Structures are given as C-alpha cells and as structure tokens.
Amino acid sequence: MPSGGVEFSEFVQHLFLGLVQGSFWVLLALGLSIVFGLMGIINFGHGAFYMLGAYVGYTVSNLIFTPIFGPNVGFIMAIVMVPVVMFGIGMVFEKYVISNIYNTENERFSGVLIMFGMSIFLPDFVRLIWGRPGKPFNIPPMFQFSLLKTGTLDITAYRSFTIITAAVLVALLWVLIYRTNLGMMIRAGTNNNTMVKVLGINVSRIWRLTFGLGIALAGFSGVMIAPLFAVDATMGELILVQTFIVVVVGGMGSFIGPVIGGLILGQLWALTPLVGRTQYVVQNWTGTVIGPDFWEKASDILLFIVMAVILLLRPRGLFGQEGAFD
Amino acid sequence: MDSAAPKNRFTPKEFWAWISEVFDNYGILILAGLLLVYPFFFTTLNDSIIWLEDNDWETSAEILAEIRGFVPSTPLMIQILIYTLFGIAFNILLGNTGMLSLGHCAFFGVGGYTVGIMHAWIKPDTYAPDWMVSAFKVLPLEISLITCVIVSTFVAWLIGTICSSKRGVYFAMVTLSISMIFYYSAQTFDDLTGGTDGLGGLENMRLGSINLRVGIMDANITYYFVFFLSVVFIAIIWQILRSPFGHVLRAIRENEDRARICGYNVAKVRLMAFTMSGAISGVAGALAIIYGETVPIENIHFITSGQIVIITLFGGAGTFLGPAVGSFIYWYLRQLMSVEFVKYLAIFQYWEAWVGGIFVLIVLFVPSGILGTIRNMTLEYREKKYLAKQAAAEAAADPE
Amino acid sequence: MLEVDSINTFYGLSHVLHDLSLKVDEGEAVAFLGRNGAGKSTTMKTVMGLLTPQSGKITMEGADITQAEAHTVSLAGVSWIPEDRQVFTNLTVFENLKISRIPIDGAKNLDTHLDWIFSLFPRLKERINNKGNQLSGGEQQMLTMARGLGTEPKLIMVDEPTEGLMPAYVETIENVLVEIQKKGIAILLVEQNFRMALSITKRAYLIEKGIIQWEGASADLLEDQETRMRYLGV
C-alpha cells in the first residue's frame, strides 16, 4: 500500500500514530473487560471516568504542583496521583452506589443504567466544577523533543512515552491477573462467583478492588491522553464507543482480545486517511473520484463498519470466550 | 359489623388503588381527552393575560403570567407527545421483550434527517435531481413522512439483523456503538446534514392533501397534527402488544429458552420487535423536527437514547402508559429547571447533571417507575383485600 | 457444633423448609437422606449463607451464623461440596486447590497441604496442570472435595458426591469420607446411595417436603426397611 502518492516515512508516521491511539484503546478496553468479566456490568461510564481522570490530572498538575515545582513535576505528580485518586473514587462509588443493586431483580440492567446515568451526569458535573470551556494541558517540557525526525516522520518523545507506559501497564495487568493471588481470585470469580464466596473469600472486597482498578485505568488513560488533545467535558464520548468497538472486535472476556483488537483497530484508524493519497483511485457510484477529504473523515466510521462485519461473521469477536478469562 | 370499617375507607393506599383502577380502565381516554383540549386551555390562559393587561389589571396579569411560567406551554406539550410516542415505541423492546437498546437515537435521528433532508434539499438549485424538483414544487409532508417510515423501517431492520441476536448488556453495548455511527456520519457529511449546526431551511412543510401549513408558524396546528399521528401510532402499538405477537414478546422477556422450546422463532420475533420499535421511533423523530423546523444534531446523539431510557424507566417500563408519565415529568421538570429555577439558582443550568443524577437515583430506589410502583401497590392492596374477603367468607361459613 | 434451630426458608414465595432443625456434633458423621426435591440442598445452602432463612437460628460452635454471608460461614469452619461440582473451569487444578488456601494463610504452606490432598486423591497429582474444563466428571468431583478441604473445615457438607460416577471413583470417594472422619472433621452427607451413606455415618436424618420426618442411628435405619420405604422409596 505505501506506494504511489504516499511516502514511506509518512506511512511509518501513521503506523506510529495508530500505535499511540491503539495503546489507549487497549488500556481502556482492558479495564472495561475485567470489570465486565467479574461483575457482569458493562461500564457505560468508562468514558466519563476517563474524562474525570483528565480533569483531576489537570487540577493536580496545572493548579497544584506546576505553580510550585514547575510543569515536569506537575505532570509526574498527575500521572502518579490520578490513578490513586480515581481508584479511591471507583471504590467509593462501588461501595455506596453500585453495591446497592447486587442481588436485586435485573441486577445487570441496573448496573448498566447506573453507569449510563453517570455518563450523562459527569460531563455536566465537570462543567459545573471546572467551567464550561475546555482546559489546556501541555506536553511537559521534558518530553518536548523528537526521538526521530526525517521529512514527514516525527517520532515525538511524549507519544513514545505513552506507548511504553501502556505496554508496561498491560504487562503489569497480565502479571496481576495471571500470576498473583488477587488475579486468581478475580479469574475464579469471573468463572463462578458463588464458589469463591463459599471458599471463604470476601467477594465484595474483590469486586470493589476490581471496579476501582477499572476506574483507575480509565482515569490514567485520561491523564495520559490529555497533553495530546485538550481536556474537555465531551472527550469521553467518542472514546467510550471506540472502546466498545475494540472490545466487540477483540472479544469480550479474554485478555488477549482487547490487546490485539486495540492494536489492529488503531492501525486501521490511522492508515485509513492514507488511502485517499495512494495511486489507487476509488470512485463512488456516480463515477466521481472519492478524494482525500473523504478518507480523512472516514477513519471513525470505518471502525463501526469493521464492528458490524465482525458481529455478523464472528459474533464473539476475534478472541472471545464465553464469559471468562481464559 | 363493627364501626371501624367505614373509617378506613380513604386510606392513602386505597386512594391510590382507586386512582390506579380508574387509570387502568379509562386512562387512555382521560389522557386523550385532556390532551385534545389542552391548546384551548393554554390559548385561553394567554388570551386572558393579554385581556387583563389591556384592561389595566396589571397586578392580576403579572400574577397570571407568573403562573403561566409553571404551566407547560403548547410547544412543550408537542415535545411531550413526541417523546411519549418515542417512549412507547422504545418500550416495545425494554418493557415487553426485555431488550435494553441504547441506540434508539439512531432511529429518532434518521427519521428526523429523512424528513429534514427531503424538505431542505428538494428545491431548485440544490443536490436534488431536476425531475424530483419539478415533480414536487412544494414537497408535501405526506410524501416525506411515508419515506421516513420506509427508511427508518429499513434502517431498523438492518441494525436489527446485526445486533438483535445479542443478549442483555451486550445488546445494549452494540446498539449504542452502532447508533454512534449515525452520529458521526451526520457530523462527517455536514454538507448534507448541516453537521453540528443542525439542518435548517425546512420552511416548506405543508400537508398537501388538505393544504395545511404546519411548523413553527402555528403551535396549535402543529400540536393537533402531532397529536393525531401520535394517537394513531400509539393505538397501533397498543393493538400489537395486545395481540398474540405481544404475548410472545413477553414470553421471550420472561424466559427465552422456554419460548424457543414452545416453537417460536425467537431470533425472528426479536428482530420484528426491534424493527417495529425502530420504525415508530423514526416517525417520532420526524415529528420532533416539525415544530422547530430544524434538525438538531443532538437528536441523533446518544444523550437522546439516554433521555428515552430515563423517560421510560421513570414512568415505569412494565406499564403501557409509563412513558407518557415519564415524558411529561421529564420535559416539565427540565423546562422548569432551565427557565424558572435557574432564575434563583445558577446551578440549575447544568440540567444534564441533574438528569443523570436523578436517573441514577431512580434506578436505585424506584426501579419499577412511577406507574409501576403505583400498580404494584394496587396489586398488593387488591390481593390483601381479596385474602381478607376470603378469610371473612371462611369465618362466616365456619362460625367456630 | 452445628446447630440448626427450626429454620424456615423460601424460594421467592414457595416455602421450602418448614421449621427444620438438625445438629451435627464435633467429628460426627451424619447422613441426611430424602427424595429429590425434599430440601436437602436447600438446607445446605441455607447453612452456607447462600440463602437466608426467614426465621430460625443457625449456630456454629455457639456463634450465630444465621445472617452471615457465605465467606464468614466458611471461615467459621463450614465447607460445602455442591452436587454439581462447580470447579473453576478456567483455573488449573493447582490453582483450584491454591485458591481455597488463600483465606487460611495466604497459600503460604501450600506444599504440606497438597501432600495430604494428593495422598487422598493421587489422581489429582497427575492432572495438576490441567484446567478444570479438561477434567472428567469423577476428577472434577475429587477436585471439588479437595478444594473444599482446603478451607480447614470442622464440618464438611457433601452433596451427592457419587452421583453419576464410575464405581472406581465411588470407592475413592467413600474411602476419602472415612479418611477425613479420622481427621476429626464432621460430615453432613447427602447421598442417594443410602447403603454407603448409612455404613459410614453414625446418625441419620430423613427429610420429606422440607420437614424432618425421622432421626436416629444409621444402623437402625439400615435395618428398618419400613421407614426407608416410606421416606426414601427403597
């Protein structure tokens, strides 16, 4: 494909951007998938908590630490403190809101609806506290350089940093789930919650921790992505749906599914705009050439089409298993 | 007989039971009657304020105007009617089939955009081909509404084919995701849809057969137009849900496997329910753009799906008229908050936060909704009354 | 040790257990027999805290566990081996055994425990790295029992352990039940194979329609064909 009107460096650049976007989707999709596997609740508020994470990060970084210690320390404090704060928020939310619906009729619908309600509530709540306009969030000075820059290729330090962080986090999550006692209990609970209880394990505590973990991942993704885009109350909407698509395509309830799904879709998303500039000419039904403008816009819509196709051909997704982490 | 019995006659529970009984039997007629005369009522209110002002009854006019702030206006009632239809159509799925769709904004939006695009673009010097323009000097609303029904049925069928085999929360997730494709399409193809500014320029909305102009010019005419169509479609839904097909839907809600074993093609029934619900939601979406004469992009945003879930749950998903109650309370409260309450407390301008917060509280504390709760209370009360009667009869039969 | 005092349990509106009382003393093996649907499993679930009785009282070594959640009951020393096995199919045999040790000591002294388990069930040792869904029915039953022993119970409630097993496994299970009795662990045994159940237990309860109809020594019941005929149909 990288022939004709597209330079190789441009192709690599898009691969790189796709990797950045894909890493975020992987992190969010994993949080969503782990919580769903254990608790059966699809977190429709994932995007909203991601957005809240960015705002908390903005507060920690730009309002508290930057004025005293400068932007570098501010940013580091933000990425350290946001997961902690969001973890706490998630646990409190689970304890005082979600735990009320356990063992009620239509438990799973209620969970979905509560989280959906949060995705309506939180953006306006954030506007109420931080004001209606979005907030600027700059790339910290220590990352304002390029690792590699030739022609159109620009591997910036911050984007590389996000990829590395995401990779490390995914590895840590894997270790947590497959190599620790807590992870074992999470996997067991995903399979059969009652028996975990019967073995003397306090399931509600594990649920609380897991929910907190999911929210912390969302918030962390939010603060990591904030320097790349502005912080805005609606930033969680599109990415929530994209995360859903990643989960649907990769497969619900597997660890590898969201990872592979996120990476593939990230590439697809980033490479679509290049199609308009290849030598291949695409025409619509009236014979008009579909120009680069269309392909620039087509990325988001293509994801949905991929999802629809996957749903028709492989309803469980690429790596989906019934119900459990396998 | 002791004298304590008559005293208990009007306990609150008994009162609610009575209300609910009347509502069960004549609710639709009462509501329809009230709605039929509503524009007269509101016009009279307006006229009397003007009359009072003309006759120098300044204070009374002011008081009445203040009261009018708390009375839902005719345009608001149009909105309430439309969302009632939308909610009842949505409830074919949630309340009757047990499918939680979070993607109904797609149908609502597609319905609106179909009518909107036809009225905005079928005129000279636009995208529309010449034969179309010459065929319809002024496009009649009938044609665009019928097109809208066809288009939204097709879209609903298409989405249904993709996702109606999914279950429970997974279905909710997939419908939400699919609905967002429509939102981003509307945003992307903004030369056709007007993008985030909304689609304007629909000034030629006219019922061709009786040469009646509907739209922003006259709220009362639009009200009756919307009222008529809503009643027709609600009656259709009522009939469908009462038919054997409706019973199959509820059988699927209660136990899908059992329905399948009974020989029903569950996948097909679910798809049919989804298509029906989507098509009628599309009609509601078309009605929603008529008074405003614009298609706001919010109509196709997932907040709209959220609104309709809230409306349905608030009224009571298990009841037929629940969405009507929910729609009224939702829009009335929202109007009060954003127009009246906000004068005293700035915090009310963040109505989405209120809506979201209230929504969470409803799910937590009144999961069966207002009508649902009242009905449950009634059933409980009737059961108790029945048991008491039975006990009394037994006691009479056996004096020991 | 375990005392169940006139509990009433409901599934929704249907009244399943009527004023049911039973007790199991320390180290004692008790058979709990009845037809299908008599309420045996419901009794065990109620004791385990998976169902809550509407009235009555359940105590374990004097501690009230009527309203306790399942994990508290487990920590109080009650273990439950469900009849449909319920191994964690996505975990390996090793993990299935390890998880039950986490509440006890954080799975620190796993090796000593596993030595004992493998002396009871040598078959599990061979399959230690297999996942739960790769085991046969008999192996799953053994794994469930082994896992239930991991919580260091004082009382183990076993629900139909030999149901649908091949005879070789039935013998293993029977031996294990005798073996754990010697360790001083009390057993409440639900079993369709009444001869086996009565031969390894001291006392027995007969339950029908949620009501205890007969209680007495197992040996007596083995002799008393009339009672058996009436309540068990055998």
Side-chain angles (χ1 to χ4, degrees):
Chain A
M1 196 164 64
S3 53
V6 184
E7 288 171 36
F8 184 68
S9 63
E10 203 174 355
F11 178 69
V12 176
Q13 175 71 20
H14 277 77
L15 282 181
F16 176 65
L17 292 179
L19 197 55
V20 174
Q21 186 67 53
S23 325
F24 284 110
W25 289 345
V26 169
L27 283 185
L28 286 162
L30 276 178
L32 197 78
S33 189
I34 293 171
V35 170
F36 173 74
L38 185 63
M39 304 167 67
I41 293 173
I42 294 184
N43 188 351
F44 280 77
H46 216 58
F49 281 106
Y50 155 94
M51 178 268 306
L52 188 65
Y55 270 91
V56 172
Y58 165 80
T59 311
V60 171
S61 163
N62 290 20
L63 302 185
I64 301 176
F65 285 99
T66 301
I68 312 171
F69 301 106
N72 284 338
V73 179
F75 177 74
I76 291 170
M77 286 313 288
I79 61 171
V80 171
M81 280 181 66
V82 165
V84 177
V85 172
M86 295 304 288
F87 187 66
I89 290 177
M91 299 233 289
V92 168
F93 188 73
E94 199 275 348
K95 180 167 183 187
Y96 291 104
V97 181
I98 300 197
S99 63
N100 288 323
I101 61 156
Y102 299 151
N103 304 322
T104 57
E105 210 186 338
N106 275 335
E107 178 186 339
R108 295 192 168 189
F109 274 6
S110 305
V112 166
L113 291 170
I114 285 179
M115 298 319 297
F116 191 64
M118 288 311 284
S119 74
I120 299 173
F121 170 79
L122 276 179
D124 236 24
F125 179 72
V126 159
R127 288 187 197 111
L128 170 69
I129 293 189
W130 281 278
R132 281 189 189 275
K135 299 289 178 197
F137 199 119
N138 296 327
I139 295 178
M142 60 180 171
F143 288 119
Q144 280 174 357
F145 62 94
S146 290
L147 296 176
L148 183 64
K149 194 167 183 179
T150 50
T152 45
L153 181 64
D154 186 3
I155 307 290
T156 59
Y158 186 75
R159 287 194 158 89
S160 312
F161 173 67
T162 60
I163 295 174
I164 294 165
T165 318
V168 170
L169 264 180
V170 170
L172 283 178
L173 268 179
W174 188 86
V175 170
L176 174 76
I177 286 182
Y178 288 96
R179 289 289 176 270
T180 66
N181 285 350
L182 177 64
M184 196 161 77
M185 291 189 279
I186 291 176
R187 277 181 296 141
T190 304
N191 185 248
N192 186 337
N193 214 1
T194 314
M195 279 319 290
V196 179
K197 266 190 245 174
V198 167
L199 293 178
I201 295 162
N202 188 348
V203 171
S204 51
R205 232 181 56 213
I206 293 173
W207 283 30
R208 196 157 298 153
L209 286 173
T210 309
F211 192 81
L213 180 71
I215 299 293
L217 274 174
F220 184 75
S221 312
V223 73
M224 284 298 284
I225 217 167
L228 298 177
F229 305 98
V231 178
D232 179 67
T234 56
M235 66 191 272
E237 287 173 12
L238 178 58
I239 204 150
L240 171 74
V241 178
Q242 288 170 336
T243 308
F244 282 178
I245 295 175
V246 167
V247 171
V248 170
V249 170
M252 205 66 163
S254 67
F255 191 90
I256 192 79
V259 176
I260 303 287
L263 294 179
I264 290 177
L265 287 181
Q267 296 309 329
L268 207 61
W269 178 84
L271 293 179
T272 310
L274 286 184
V275 176
R277 278 185 275 142
T278 54
Q279 61 189 9
Y280 307 108
V281 175
V282 185
Q283 296 178 335
N284 73 3
W285 57 91
T286 58
T288 322
V289 175
I290 297 175
D293 289 357
F294 172 81
W295 293 105
E296 294 283 344
K297 293 175 184 173
S299 290
D300 285 330
I301 294 173
L302 187 72
L303 295 184
F304 293 102
I305 294 170
V306 170
M307 179 184 73
V309 171
I310 289 277
L311 277 174
L312 285 174
L313 299 183
R314 251 190 96 87
R316 277 190 201 167
L318 296 177
F319 298 90
Q321 307 276 344
E322 192 73 39
F325 276 90
D326 265 308
Chain B
M1 208 70 204
D2 61 343
S3 58
K7 265 188 195 170
N8 286 335
R9 254 188 87 189
F10 250 60
T11 56
K13 265 198 175 167
E14 181 147 353
F15 177 71
W16 282 114
W18 178 72
I19 292 272
S20 158
E21 207 158 315
V22 172
F23 207 77
D24 269 3
N25 297 332
Y26 310 106
I28 293 181
L29 290 180
I30 295 172
L31 262 183
L34 283 177
L35 289 172
L36 200 60
V37 296
Y38 195 84
F40 291 113
F41 164 70
F42 194 72
T43 316
T44 317
L45 185 65
N46 264 339
D47 289 348
S48 45
I49 291 172
I50 294 167
W51 185 85
L52 285 171
E53 272 171 357
D54 287 348
N55 291 282
D56 291 337
W57 295 65
E58 291 292 338
T59 336
S60 315
E62 265 169 35
I63 291 171
L64 216 52
E66 197 63 28
I67 290 173
R68 186 180 54 179
F70 289 86
V71 173
S73 63
T74 308
L76 187 67
M77 289 306 286
I78 294 176
Q79 189 85 328
I80 290 169
L81 276 177
I82 289 163
Y83 274 81
T84 301
L85 176 63
F86 188 17
I88 289 178
F90 174 75
N91 209 19
I92 296 178
L93 291 185
L94 182 64
N96 289 283
T97 326
M99 295 156 82
L100 171 62
S101 159
L102 293 180
H104 260 53
C105 58
F107 312 124
F108 196 72
V110 163
Y113 273 116
T114 308
V115 173
I117 286 172
M118 287 181 78
H119 282 279
W121 299 125
I122 299 190
K123 46 186 163 185
D125 307 323
T126 55
Y127 303 115
D130 292 335
W131 63 266
M132 220 183 245
V133 178
S134 51
F136 305 113
K137 282 228 167 54
V138 176
L139 182 77
L141 202 50
E142 290 93 333
I143 299 278
S144 56
L145 278 178
I146 289 170
T147 318
C148 154
V149 172
I150 294 169
V151 169
S152 47
T153 308
F154 175 71
V155 168
W157 175 80
L158 194 68
I159 297 182
T161 324
I162 296 173
C163 62
S164 69
S165 63
K166 302 285 164 291
R167 300 284 177 279
V169 285
Y170 204 57
F171 176 76
M173 186 172 108
V174 172
T175 45
L176 176 76
S177 306
I178 290 181
S179 77
M180 290 303 270
I181 188 178
F182 289 89
Y183 176 74
Y184 288 106
S185 302
Q187 212 177 45
T188 306
F189 303 109
D190 50 0
D191 36 4
L192 193 64
T193 62
T196 40
D197 300 332
L199 179 62
L202 329 173
E203 70 285 343
N204 48 4
M205 302 234 258
R206 187 177 290 276
L207 277 171
S209 48
I210 47 174
N211 200 14
L212 181 71
R213 175 90 167 80
V214 292
I216 204 159
M217 308 293 289
D218 193 330
N220 287 357
I221 289 176
T222 315
Y223 177 90
Y224 282 113
F225 176 67
V226 168
F227 176 73
F228 174 73
L229 277 186
S230 306
V231 166
V232 167
F233 278 100
I234 289 173
I236 291 174
I237 299 174
W238 167 254
Q239 201 53 42
I240 289 171
L241 292 182
R242 268 162 45 104
S243 72
F245 181 75
H247 292 295
V248 178
L249 293 185
R250 285 182 287 279
I252 290 176
R253 177 191 67 191
E254 293 306 324
N255 193 328
E256 202 178 309
D257 291 332
R258 215 167 282 171
R260 188 176 292 120
I261 291 163
C262 287
Y264 294 106
N265 185 345
V266 171
K268 201 171 154 194
V269 172
R270 282 167 68 106
L271 177 60
M272 278 171 76
F274 191 82
T275 310
M276 233 176 264
S277 171
I280 298 175
S281 303
V283 174
L287 296 180
I289 67 156
I290 287 176
Y291 184 67
E293 293 191 351
T294 51
V295 191
I297 200 166
E298 285 78 20
N299 277 7
I300 206 165
H301 190 258
F302 80 82
I303 295 275
T304 305
S305 300
Q307 277 174 350
I308 206 63
V309 182
I310 294 169
I311 282 171
T312 309
L313 283 181
F314 201 14
T319 58
F320 185 77
L321 282 181
V325 176
S327 171
F328 180 81
I329 294 176
Y330 178 84
W331 286 104
Y332 182 56
L333 264 185
R334 194 174 143 183
Q335 176 81 3
L336 280 189
M337 273 184 196
S338 53
V339 177
E340 293 295 325
F341 293 178
V342 82
K343 288 179 193 161
Y344 310 106
L345 258 181
I347 210 172
F348 280 105
Q349 62 179 295
Y350 299 96
W351 64 268
E352 274 178 24
W354 288 90
V355 166
I358 292 172
F359 181 44
V360 171
L361 294 180
I362 291 171
V363 175
L364 282 178
F365 299 112
V366 230
S368 39
I370 293 176
L371 275 193
T373 310
I374 294 176
R375 197 187 55 182
N376 291 348
M377 268 164 58
T378 323
L379 289 180
E380 205 175 281
Y381 173 80
R382 277 184 199 153
E383 195 182 317
K384 262 187 197 160
K385 209 161 118 181
Y386 173 75
L387 287 179
K389 218 185 234 172
Q390 226 175 18
E394 262 172 39
D398 179 20
E400 289 299 301
Chain C
M1 184 173 58
L2 176 78
E3 292 193 28
V4 177
D5 186 13
S6 57
I7 53 168
N8 285 285
T9 304
F10 291 74
Y11 271 125
L13 283 175
S14 63
H15 195 165
V16 184
L17 300 183
H18 303 261
D19 286 330
L20 187 137
S21 304
L22 57 83
K23 70 185 184 95
V24 182
D25 286 330
E26 258 164 75
E28 188 188 30
V30 177
F32 189 37
L33 309 177
R35 290 196 177 94
N36 280 335
K40 297 165 302 201
S41 297
T42 309
T43 310
M44 291 187 165
K45 283 184 187 165
T46 311
V47 171
M48 205 59 224
L50 298 172
L51 297 169
T52 313
Q54 288 213 341
S55 65
K57 198 175 176 189
I58 306 170
T59 54
M60 179 72 189
E61 296 187 312
D64 189 347
I65 55 166
T66 318
Q67 305 289 337
E69 284 186 65
H71 64 94
T72 324
V73 178
S74 172
L75 293 177
V78 184
S79 185
W80 175 54
I81 316 295
E83 86 188 289
D84 45 1
R85 284 145 201 168
Q86 307 198 14
V87 297
F88 301 118
T89 47
N90 59 340
L91 266 57
T92 63
V93 169
F94 177 75
E95 286 173 323
N96 264 290
L97 294 172
K98 186 179 174 189
I99 194 167
S100 62
R101 299 295 294 172
I102 293 175
I104 304 298
D105 55 5
K108 285 199 185 68
N109 303 316
L110 195 59
D111 288 342
T112 13
H113 173 69
L114 285 187
D115 285 345
W116 178 54
I117 290 294
F118 290 146
S119 71
L120 293 175
F121 305 101
R123 181 79 186 131
L124 289 181
K125 192 168 187 177
E126 299 163 25
R127 312 225 52 177
I128 186 144
N129 286 322
N130 286 94
K131 283 195 173 172
N133 54 9
Q134 296 163 331
L135 301 182
S136 72
E139 287 164 344
Q140 287 195 353
Q141 183 62 49
M142 293 195 285
L143 178 57
T144 316
M145 288 192 71
R147 188 182 60 185
L149 289 169
T151 57
E152 303 202 337
K154 294 167 187 128
L155 164 68
I156 182 162
M157 302 189 294
V158 192
D159 200 347
E160 310 223 346
T162 65
E163 192 195 15
L165 295 192
M166 52 193 252
Y169 284 136
V170 174
E171 206 173 309
T172 316
I173 301 279
E174 195 180 337
N175 289 338
V176 167
L177 287 172
V178 174
E179 204 55 41
I180 56 184
Q181 260 185 74
K182 286 184 191 153
K183 275 265 206 177
I185 299 173
I187 297 176
L188 183 65
L189 177 63
V190 167
E191 180 56 62
Q192 292 298 342
N193 180 350
F194 73 96
R195 273 178 215 290
M196 188 271 259
L198 292 176
S199 64
I200 61 174
T201 54
K202 248 202 298 206
R203 283 194 307 123
Y205 290 94
L206 288 182
I207 178 172
E208 189 179 58
K209 289 180 181 160
I211 301 166
I212 297 277
Q213 301 285 5
W214 187 92
E215 62 171 296
S218 297
D220 293 349
L221 188 59
L222 212 46
E223 301 297 311
D224 184 355
Q225 208 199 339
E226 193 189 326
T227 315
R228 279 203 331 253
M229 204 61 209
R230 185 170 337 141
Y231 297 115
L232 300 176
V234 282

